[in-house]
């Protein structure tokens, strides 16, 4: 009985979540059945469920969906590869930090979606446009988190490294990286969701490939059930990516410096 009670307690948040989702779906079905909103604008959950199952078997939809995931993965990977070494250098070298502070402030404050027209002019409507916009959007997140991580290193640790005659590369590897890693992983977790959202935004506003373009075509064809089914697909994907990022963060980082958010 004790084991059963523990299992129930652990599963209680999930049960509440399922119950809440069930209430939302029930309310949705009631609104659709009552005709409060025309079916052309809000089809019922059964119709959307059928459309969702149909999309999973649609080769064109699957191809564009995989294109979106590929854009997300490549963009996030590029941002991480470039921003982490640069963030280590900026955080470690004070002259470089002072020289780059204004550029970083401008870059991180810039509304990324407004750059889509400029990116289209620069590289066209192909995959390069999406990758450039998404990479730019998440580059600053990982960069700033890395810089904060370097600045959180205890000065005593740096003095010890200096006393041991560590070079800059060895100091970064043995002193800076272990302390900075929690900040870096947190930055990547945050960037994971934002990269997916910006990828979809670029596809909705101006790309020629990706699941966002498919949703636009469904909207133009007034296929409301397919639109909602596509929204459901990308919502589930975003949730899965977020959960995966959180689990990875917990596995990689089993401790956090005090005060880290």
């Amino acid at each position: 009985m004790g084991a059963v009670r523990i299992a129930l307690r652990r599963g209680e948040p999930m049960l509440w979540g399922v119950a809440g989702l069930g209430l939302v779906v029930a309310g949705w079905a009631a609104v659709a059945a009552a005709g409060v909103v025309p079916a052309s604008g809000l089809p019922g959950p059964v119709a959307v469920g059928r459309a969702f199952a149909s999309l999973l078997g649609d080769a064109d939809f699957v191809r564009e969906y995989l294109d979106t995931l590929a854009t997300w993965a490549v963009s996030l990977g590029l941002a991480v590869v470039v921003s982490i070494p640069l963030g280590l250098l900026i955080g470690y070298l004070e002259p470089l930090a002072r020289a780059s502070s204004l550029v970083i402030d401008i870059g991180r404050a810039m509304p990324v979606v407004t750059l889509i027209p400029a990116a289209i002019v620069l590289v066209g409507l192909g995959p390069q446009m999406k990758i450039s916009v998404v990479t730019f959007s998440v580059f600053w997140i990982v960069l700033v988190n890395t810089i904060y991580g370097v600045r959180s290193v205890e000065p005593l640790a740096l003095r010890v490294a200096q006393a041991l005659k560590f070079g800059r590369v060895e100091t970064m590897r043995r002193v800076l990286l272990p302390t900075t890693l929690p900040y870096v992983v947190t930055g990547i977790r945050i960037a994971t969701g934002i990269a997916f959202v910006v990828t979809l935004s670029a596809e909705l506003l101006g790309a020629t490939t990706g699941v966002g373009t498919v949703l636009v075509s469904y909207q133009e064809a007034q296929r409301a059930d397919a639109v909602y089914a596509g929204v459901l697909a990308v919502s589930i994907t975003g949730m899965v990516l977020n959960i995966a990022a959180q689990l990875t963060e917990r596995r990689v980082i089993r401790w956090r410096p005090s005060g880290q958010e």
Side-chain angles (χ1 to χ4, degrees), residues 34 51 61 73 85 105 159 162 172 181:
F61 179 84
D105 288 340
R159 287 197 293 269
Q162 185 177 12
M172 287 188 178
L181 187 59

Side-chain angles (χ1 to χ4, degrees), residues 184-205:
V184 171
V185 175
T186 298
I188 294 174
R189 173 179 60 78
I190 297 170
T192 295
I194 294 177
F196 188 65
V197 170
V198 176
T199 300
L200 292 171
S201 299
E203 292 172 353
L204 289 169
L205 295 175

Side-chain angles (χ1 to χ4, degrees), residues 16-32 42-45 232:
W16 279 107
V18 172
L21 179 61
L23 288 174
V24 170
V25 173
W28 173 15
V31 170
L42 182 65
L232 178 61

Side-chain angles (χ1 to χ4, degrees), residues 27-194:
W28 173 15
V31 170
V36 177
V37 179
S40 59
L42 182 65
V46 174
V48 173
R50 290 172 181 168
F52 180 78
S54 177
L55 288 183
L56 296 181
D58 187 331
D60 292 336
F61 179 84
V62 172
R63 183 182 65 251
E64 300 301 336
Y65 175 83
L66 293 177
D67 180 88
T68 296
L69 288 182
T71 299
W72 164 81
V74 170
S75 303
L76 183 61
L78 285 174
V80 167
V81 168
V82 176
S83 61
I84 292 177
L86 186 58
L88 291 172
L89 288 173
I90 292 175
Y92 184 56
L93 302 175
E94 185 62 28
L96 185 57
R98 293 178 180 178
S100 61
S101 60
L102 182 58
V103 174
I104 293 174
D105 288 340
I106 294 174
R108 64 189 296 197
M110 191 174 298
V112 178
V113 176
T114 62
L115 293 177
I116 293 177
I120 293 174
V121 171
L122 182 64
V123 296
L125 291 171
Q128 297 88 345
M129 183 275 288
K130 294 194 295 181
I131 291 174
S132 61
V133 170
V134 179
T135 301
F136 182 89
S137 69
V138 296
F139 166 82
W140 305 103
I141 298 171
V142 182
L143 176 70
V144 171
N145 268 48
T146 304
I147 294 171
Y148 284 161
V150 174
R151 291 177 179 173
S152 72
V153 176
E154 292 291 339
L156 178 59
L158 295 176
R159 287 197 293 269
V160 170
Q162 185 177 12
L164 293 175
K165 297 183 179 180
F166 287 175
R168 288 185 174 178
V169 174
E170 192 172 10
T171 299
M172 287 188 178
R173 182 176 63 86
R174 299 183 63 176
V175 180
L176 299 183
L177 277 178
T179 303
T180 306
L181 187 59
Y183 293 83
V184 171
V185 175
T186 298
I188 294 174
R189 173 179 60 78
I190 297 170
T192 295
I194 294 177

Side-chain angles (χ1 to χ4, degrees), residues 224-254:
D225 56 346
V227 171
Y228 283 98
V231 171
L232 178 61
V234 297
S235 298
I236 292 173
T237 302
M239 180 183 68
V240 170
L241 292 177
N242 184 57
I243 292 174
Q246 290 179 349
L247 292 176
T248 301
E249 182 183 27
R250 291 173 186 172
R251 284 182 175 273
V252 174
I253 307 301
R254 299 187 180 279

